[in-house]
Amino acid sequence: MEAEGKTWNYRDILAQFITMHNKKSNVLLIWSGDWPTYSSNSDKHYVILAGEGFDSMDEAWNWCKANNYGPNDCMPIDLQ
């Protein structure tokens, strides 16, 4: 996967997940193919979830902004 000016491999993704999990224990790592929300996307990939729940997309976007995540790093998704 190409992002942030580099090609990410499995080790990079796992290292980022571990770093984030060490800071906040409710962070999750999922495979997009296991969730219907991502089923329309033919590309399957690992996704790091913040482990936060919100009542609206606006609340989620506000959380992203408050935690200094840009639109390429924080994408609210409804997993239901």
Side-chain angles (χ1 to χ4, degrees), residues 1 10 13 29-35 38 41-48 75 77:
M1 176 181 180
Y10 295 113
I13 295 165
L29 181 65
I30 67 165
W31 179 246
S32 65
D34 292 338
W35 295 89
Y38 296 100
N41 183 348
S42 61
D43 295 330
K44 304 302 179 204
H45 44 271
Y46 286 99
V47 179
I48 299 172
M75 296 162 230
I77 299 289

Side-chain angles (χ1 to χ4, degrees), residues 66-77:
N67 285 277
N68 297 314
Y69 291 115
N72 292 329
D73 298 315
C74 192
M75 296 162 230
I77 299 289

Side-chain angles (χ1 to χ4, degrees), residues 16 20-21 23-28 48-77:
Q16 184 180 32
M20 293 177 79
H21 190 267
K23 292 178 183 176
K24 196 165 187 180
S25 64
N26 62 339
V27 172
L28 303 169
I48 299 172
L49 302 176
E52 301 291 334
F54 303 97
D55 292 329
S56 71
M57 293 299 271
D58 285 339
E59 270 188 45
W61 280 117
N62 289 336
W63 182 90
C64 292
K65 292 174 193 171
N67 285 277
N68 297 314
Y69 291 115
N72 292 329
D73 298 315
C74 192
M75 296 162 230
I77 299 289

